[in-house]
Short mmCIF file of all heavy atoms in Angstrom, two decimals:
data_model
loop_
_atom_site.label_atom_id
_atom_site.label_comp_id
_atom_site.label_asym_id
_atom_site.label_seq_id
_atom_site.Cartn_x
_atom_site.Cartn_y
_atom_site.Cartn_z
N GLY A 432 114.63 99.38 80.05
CA GLY A 432 113.92 99.14 81.31
C GLY A 432 114.70 99.73 82.49
O GLY A 432 114.10 99.94 83.57
N THR A 433 116.01 99.99 82.30
CA THR A 433 116.74 100.52 83.46
C THR A 433 116.22 101.90 83.86
O THR A 433 116.42 102.26 84.97
CB THR A 433 118.22 100.62 83.08
OG1 THR A 433 118.39 101.48 81.89
CG2 THR A 433 118.85 99.28 82.79
N VAL A 434 115.53 102.57 82.94
CA VAL A 434 114.99 103.88 83.31
C VAL A 434 114.08 103.75 84.54
O VAL A 434 114.21 104.47 85.49
CB VAL A 434 114.22 104.52 82.13
CG1 VAL A 434 113.56 105.80 82.56
CG2 VAL A 434 115.17 104.81 80.96
N VAL A 435 113.18 102.79 84.43
CA VAL A 435 112.21 102.58 85.50
C VAL A 435 112.94 101.96 86.73
O VAL A 435 112.79 102.44 87.83
CB VAL A 435 111.09 101.65 85.07
CG1 VAL A 435 110.19 101.32 86.23
CG2 VAL A 435 110.30 102.27 83.93
N VAL A 436 113.71 100.94 86.48
CA VAL A 436 114.31 100.14 87.59
C VAL A 436 115.32 101.09 88.37
O VAL A 436 115.36 101.09 89.59
CB VAL A 436 114.95 98.91 87.08
CG1 VAL A 436 115.83 98.28 88.13
CG2 VAL A 436 113.90 97.91 86.61
N GLU A 437 116.07 101.83 87.64
CA GLU A 437 117.02 102.72 88.34
C GLU A 437 116.36 103.74 89.25
O GLU A 437 116.82 104.14 90.30
CB GLU A 437 117.96 103.40 87.31
CG GLU A 437 119.08 102.48 86.86
CD GLU A 437 119.90 102.99 85.72
OE1 GLU A 437 119.62 104.15 85.28
OE2 GLU A 437 120.79 102.30 85.32
N THR A 438 115.19 104.19 88.78
CA THR A 438 114.40 105.14 89.63
C THR A 438 113.85 104.43 90.83
O THR A 438 113.97 104.92 91.95
CB THR A 438 113.29 105.78 88.80
OG1 THR A 438 113.87 106.31 87.57
CG2 THR A 438 112.66 106.94 89.54
N VAL A 439 113.24 103.29 90.59
CA VAL A 439 112.58 102.58 91.73
C VAL A 439 113.68 102.27 92.78
O VAL A 439 113.43 102.47 93.98
CB VAL A 439 111.88 101.34 91.19
CG1 VAL A 439 111.48 100.44 92.40
CG2 VAL A 439 110.65 101.64 90.42
N PHE A 440 114.75 101.79 92.32
CA PHE A 440 115.82 101.33 93.32
C PHE A 440 116.84 102.42 93.65
O PHE A 440 117.87 102.13 94.20
CB PHE A 440 116.49 100.04 92.78
CG PHE A 440 115.63 98.85 92.84
CD1 PHE A 440 114.91 98.51 91.73
CD2 PHE A 440 115.53 98.07 94.00
CE1 PHE A 440 114.03 97.36 91.79
CE2 PHE A 440 114.67 96.99 94.00
CZ PHE A 440 113.93 96.62 92.96
N SER A 441 116.60 103.61 93.16
CA SER A 441 117.48 104.68 93.39
C SER A 441 118.90 104.36 93.07
O SER A 441 119.81 104.62 93.81
CB SER A 441 117.49 105.20 94.83
OG SER A 441 116.26 105.75 95.10
N ARG A 442 119.06 103.76 91.86
CA ARG A 442 120.46 103.43 91.47
C ARG A 442 120.97 104.52 90.58
O ARG A 442 120.25 105.16 89.87
CB ARG A 442 120.42 102.15 90.71
CG ARG A 442 120.20 100.89 91.50
CD ARG A 442 120.33 99.71 90.57
NE ARG A 442 121.68 99.61 89.97
CZ ARG A 442 122.74 99.15 90.56
NH1 ARG A 442 122.68 98.81 91.84
NH2 ARG A 442 123.92 99.09 89.95
N GLN A 443 122.32 104.66 90.58
CA GLN A 443 122.90 105.55 89.62
C GLN A 443 122.93 104.91 88.32
O GLN A 443 122.89 103.68 88.23
CB GLN A 443 124.38 105.78 90.01
CG GLN A 443 124.51 106.90 91.05
CD GLN A 443 125.99 107.17 91.25
OE1 GLN A 443 126.72 106.28 91.63
NE2 GLN A 443 126.40 108.36 90.89
N GLY A 444 122.87 105.67 87.23
CA GLY A 444 122.93 105.00 85.94
C GLY A 444 122.45 105.91 84.85
O GLY A 444 121.89 106.97 85.09
N ILE A 445 122.57 105.41 83.64
CA ILE A 445 122.26 106.16 82.44
C ILE A 445 120.73 106.37 82.31
O ILE A 445 120.22 107.32 81.78
CB ILE A 445 122.89 105.44 81.24
CG1 ILE A 445 123.51 106.40 80.33
CG2 ILE A 445 121.93 104.58 80.56
CD1 ILE A 445 124.80 106.96 80.87
N GLY A 446 119.98 105.36 82.84
CA GLY A 446 118.50 105.45 82.70
C GLY A 446 117.98 106.71 83.41
O GLY A 446 117.16 107.41 82.96
N ARG A 447 118.49 106.89 84.61
CA ARG A 447 117.97 108.01 85.40
C ARG A 447 118.47 109.35 84.83
O ARG A 447 117.75 110.32 84.84
CB ARG A 447 118.44 107.92 86.86
CG ARG A 447 117.53 107.07 87.60
CD ARG A 447 117.94 106.97 89.04
NE ARG A 447 117.48 108.07 89.80
CZ ARG A 447 117.99 108.28 91.05
NH1 ARG A 447 118.86 107.46 91.55
NH2 ARG A 447 117.59 109.29 91.77
#
Side-chain angles (χ1 to χ4, degrees):
Chain A
T433 57
V434 174
V435 174
V436 168
E437 281 172 359
T438 309
V439 169
F440 289 93
S441 293
R442 287 184 59 79
Q443 275 187 298
I445 223 73
R447 276 182 80 193

